Amino acid sequence: MKDNIININLETSTAPIITEVRGKDYIEYGDANGEWRNLYPQFLIDLYYSSSITAAIVNSTSEMIAGEALIIEDDEDRNLEARVRLENFMNRANGNESLHEVIKKLSFDFKLQGGFALNLVWSKDRTQIAEVYHVDVSKLRCARPDEFGKTPGYYISADWSNTRQNKPYYVPAFNANDRTSANQIMYSGLYSPNMNSYFTPDYVSCNNWALIDGRISEYHLNAISNGFAGSFMISFANGVPTAEERRQIEQSLTDKFCSETNSGKFVLTFSDDKTRTPEITAITPSDLDKQYLALQELLTSNILSGHRVTSKTLMGIDTANGFSSNTDEIINAANFYLNTVIKPFQDQLVKQLRKIFQINNMDMPVDFVQLKPITVQFDSKTIREVMTQDEIREELGLEPLGDEEVVDEAVINETLDFSKVGMIDGKPVFSTIEEAEAHAKTLGCEGYHEHDLDGTTTYMACKDHSEATELSKFIEEFGEDIPEDWEILDEENVNDEHEDFDFEAELNKLVEGKTELASTGTARPNQRSTQDGVNDSYNDYFKVRYMYTKDTALSQEGETRDFCKLMTAARKVYRKEDLLQLTQKPVNPGWGPRGAATYSIWLYKGGGNCHHYFRRVVYKTSLRNAKSNINNSQIISDVKALSEGFTLKRNSGLVAKAPKRMKNNGFLNPR
């Protein structure tokens, strides 16, 4: 009887049972008896590619785990040497990648596979870990544990489904006490019940629903490609043909009716006997669309629950209502997800990384700069209408004001950046005149002028495009070009250099025959600083300047604030005394304490969250025959010791620190 039925396929498929199978040099990972034997990681990869919901959650979660950056959290700079080593390691984890780039890959594996792996490369003398590389955890299998139950090493294969052509090779497990091998593998993850060697993903319980998601997409693809399949049953009443005849009939019907172009056509039959006409019976339920929608909603809900996601919008799965109507949902869901799901992943990553830091004598507290959900941005008018002054200031990370005080509109526009509609020549343009005029006040100018932006009239601050701001005036008047006819003796962070510390005066004391230079009283470009030194015997001139520099360990992206854009684009160096004068000039208004127009640029650079600091550069004239009675390197080392030993006023360490690394990220209060 079964031979009389053509092409009935009711395939059943469930997620494989996770097992650890012993018997070889390594522990097999997957279904002990099924098609996924020792291939469970590949099953998870296939699931990721077949289920759009799973892929969206894995992608979003891995990005949250990696965050924007990994930063050092030692506000006191208790160990400067360790900090420098760690920053260098974070900038270059291996020959091609920064540490954060490696972390992005680890985060993806951690979420998708439940664990992550690093290849640690020891230095030639085995004293330090020279490089770290991401290892695709799906290519890894654990060796059989030793008598103490520990995994001694791991086997790596490019394709575990074909080990004959991709023979596994052995790499020892990370062990700081046994550095015989040049390479070691660090494998880690969160606790997985009933597992001894491997770490499983946290969403295993919803994998059957993810399989349904993939099957539904296949169903619709097949329905489009084969418009006849599964929709009708055809019964012929003229006897049972042979197997070959049945195949011919099936092929004929398939060729004529089953394709996306033939879908919806009618069937034409010919017969001289009503009793022998084919019977065509529809088998598609009339409410299939409703059933599909119900199933889609059910599987989406179950997949989200398996991943502990409380909002579809947070994962970018459902934005039908727009972000504006779901702001509260996103914020609440994000806080829950970050604290209960993301933070444990990040803590485990940091825990393993600090093992490496300890070996390299650069162990310092580090943490992730967390990604935050994208929420709606409102213009300043709307903000003033729906928020109190103290609520606005709390959003800015500022202290509350009294009832008698009001929030400066310029501070709102500049700090929150709500109303900019575009940028022209690196300067913001606004949709209204009022906004442009408010922004003009923050720049030290008045009025506005018009610009065309994609066919729309927009407004830019100041009466003229080229009108000079306080900052541009300062750069033009006091900024010096990087001297080409001077050689750099030393370039370093301005650590522990207080405002009152006369660095070059100390330098001059070390130079035989030095001549004191009198202060000019006013600052001029290329004018000698009161700290510049001269060696009369050999005509050696020394000068110290300061350069506005990005902390590349925090970010590789371009500058976003007008102040930082102008300072970096100018490519100038400055005298210390000129930078100190900026305390009284509104070169970056709105970023001072409680929205003040002025503050110490020397200490706080571009304001809260700024990624820049001042780098000190020591120059000497490049006279061909110039010699010094004191070795140049000795001069610099002695001065460095003096500067670093100047501990009477320790707040000076802020000069070399980007506000992003300061307490509260450079703001008065935590944000």
Side-chain angles (χ1 to χ4, degrees), residues 525-666:
N526 297 304
Q527 186 75 27
R528 290 198 184 101
S529 170
T530 58
Q531 301 174 350
D532 293 340
V534 179
N535 185 326
D536 283 343
S537 300
Y538 298 97
N539 200 33
D540 288 349
Y541 293 84
F542 300 89
K543 64 181 179 181
V544 176
R545 296 295 183 265
Y546 300 86
M547 183 179 299
Y548 197 72
T549 307
K550 173 175 286 188
D551 188 336
T552 56
L554 289 174
S555 173
Q556 298 288 338
E557 299 178 355
E559 285 70 29
T560 58
R561 297 176 186 173
D562 292 340
F563 176 86
C564 298
K565 288 179 180 178
L566 289 174
M567 288 292 287
T568 55
R571 297 183 59 81
K572 302 285 187 179
V573 293
Y574 309 89
R575 302 188 312 160
K576 180 178 180 177
E577 48 261 58
D578 294 334
L579 292 173
L580 292 175
Q581 290 185 31
L582 292 182
T583 303
Q584 307 300 323
K585 296 180 179 293
V587 293
N588 193 27
W591 286 95
R594 299 176 177 85
T598 59
Y599 63 97
S600 176
I601 301 296
W602 174 249
L603 297 179
Y604 298 102
K605 282 64 73 175
N609 277 330
C610 176
H611 289 196
H612 296 83
Y613 66 97
F614 283 111
R615 177 174 290 272
R616 181 173 58 206
V617 187
V618 181
Y619 297 98
K620 191 190 80 170
T621 53
S622 56
L623 299 178
R624 292 182 179 179
N625 299 320
K627 296 180 180 180
S628 178
N629 292 341
I630 301 177
N631 183 274
N632 290 334
S633 62
Q634 186 63 43
I635 292 175
I636 302 303
S637 64
D638 287 348
V639 173
K640 189 182 297 185
L642 285 169
S643 64
E644 293 179 359
F646 190 77
T647 58
L648 296 178
K649 300 178 180 180
R650 291 286 300 182
N651 65 313
S652 57
L654 297 176
V655 181
K657 182 183 294 185
K660 183 71 175 181
R661 298 186 182 276
M662 299 179 184
K663 185 178 181 181
N664 299 330
N665 294 334

